[in-house]
Structure formats: structure tokens, C-alpha cells
Amino acid sequence: MTSLKFCAAIAASFLTLAPVSASAEVVGKVGVDWTGNDILVDAVPDPQVSGITCHVTYFDRSVIDRLRKGNWFEDPSNNSIACRQTGPIEIGSINLSQSGEEVFRAGLSLIWKKLVVTRIYDKKNDTLVYLIHSRQLTDGSAKMAISTIPLFGQNVNWKNGKPK
């Protein structure tokens, strides 16, 4: 029993090293089973688009689950996102390319797997698209979700002028 507690303590100490974005704020935590696994809900403001907040969900595995199932240093890639206008929209200098730009990143494993939110501007439809997915070193993940913010008809302040 002592070795189990020792292993749990080591695993917990490694988990505290996983990178977490400073701009995200945990606004919800829902327990899903008796082992201590949780679904966390973070509020993530877009650093270049004020007035937009994305709510991101992700699974946080407990130490008991990690010990029971192995794969100690990784959380699942099941994520969800919903972005909404939460104030006056002011758009700063954003990447207008098709690949967009990373808005948020958090660790889902000790080193390799990252949860990523990317913002893409759909110029033709005047819409901000937010894509959530996981990034892994060797295998990409097909698990993703999007949320959109239509700007049409909105009072939007473009700091550098609206793209033509």
C-alpha cells in the first residue's frame, strides 16, 4: 500500500508541471465518477479580440484513474468549445491567413499533447471561427470542434481598419 501512495505522489507532482495558459480561468468543475475524474470548464478571452470569450471544456483524469489505467501523463483529447460576444467587439492585429493564429494552448500531457484553440477570420462571411483540437507530436487527432462569431451587422471596431 505504501508503494501505491508513493506512486500517486510522484504522478501528482508530475501533473503540476503540465503547462496551463495564464489567460484561462476555471469557471466550472463537474465530477463524473467516483475515482475523481472531472470535466473542467475554462473561460478564455481572445487576447486580440476584446469582447469575445470562449468557454472550453476538457477532461481532467484523477490520480486513481491514472494508476488504474496507466498512461499516467496524458488526458483524453475530448474537448468542446463555445465562443460568444461578451462585450463590445474590438479587433486588434489578427492573422488573416487561412491557417489563422493560436489564441490559447494548454497541456494535456506532461510534454507532447496540447489543447489548442485557433482563430480564423472568414473574410467572405465576415465571421470569426474558433477551432479547438489537440496537437500531438506523432499522431494528429481527428477530435475537434468549432464555434463561430458572425460579425455581420455588429458594431465592430477594427483598430487597424476592416480588411478589404
Side-chain angles (χ1 to χ4, degrees), residues 91-149:
I91 301 176
S93 179
I94 65 171
N95 184 328
L96 300 174
S97 71
Q98 282 188 329
S99 59
E101 72 183 295
E102 195 174 280
V103 173
F104 172 76
R105 177 179 41 189
L108 291 178
S109 74
L110 186 59
I111 300 171
W112 310 116
K113 188 192 282 188
K114 304 285 185 232
L115 169 86
V116 179
V117 175
T118 301
R119 178 196 344 93
I120 300 167
Y121 177 60
D122 175 357
K123 184 177 169 183
K124 180 180 178 186
N125 295 299
D126 200 17
T127 299
L128 295 172
V129 178
Y130 291 86
L131 165 70
I132 189 170
H133 65 97
S134 64
R135 182 180 298 145
Q136 297 175 330
L137 184 63
T138 55
D139 297 321
S141 174
K143 296 176 182 176
M144 68 198 98
I146 66 167
S147 186
T148 61
I149 305 286

Side-chain angles (χ1 to χ4, degrees), residues 34-51:
W34 67 270
T35 65
N37 291 319
D38 296 317
I39 296 173
L40 298 178
V41 181
D42 283 356
V44 181
D46 186 325
Q48 292 297 324
V49 183
S50 63

Side-chain angles (χ1 to χ4, degrees), residues 45-53 84-94 119 128 130 149 151 155-157 159:
D46 186 325
Q48 292 297 324
V49 183
S50 63
I52 301 295
T53 304
R84 300 293 185 267
Q85 180 177 355
T86 54
I89 298 176
E90 184 172 43
I91 301 176
S93 179
I94 65 171
R119 178 196 344 93
L128 295 172
Y130 291 86
I149 305 286
L151 301 177
N155 185 16
V156 176
N157 180 18
K159 288 182 180 179

Side-chain angles (χ1 to χ4, degrees), residues 76-88:
S77 298
N78 301 330
N79 311 299
S80 181
I81 188 169
C83 301
R84 300 293 185 267
Q85 180 177 355
T86 54

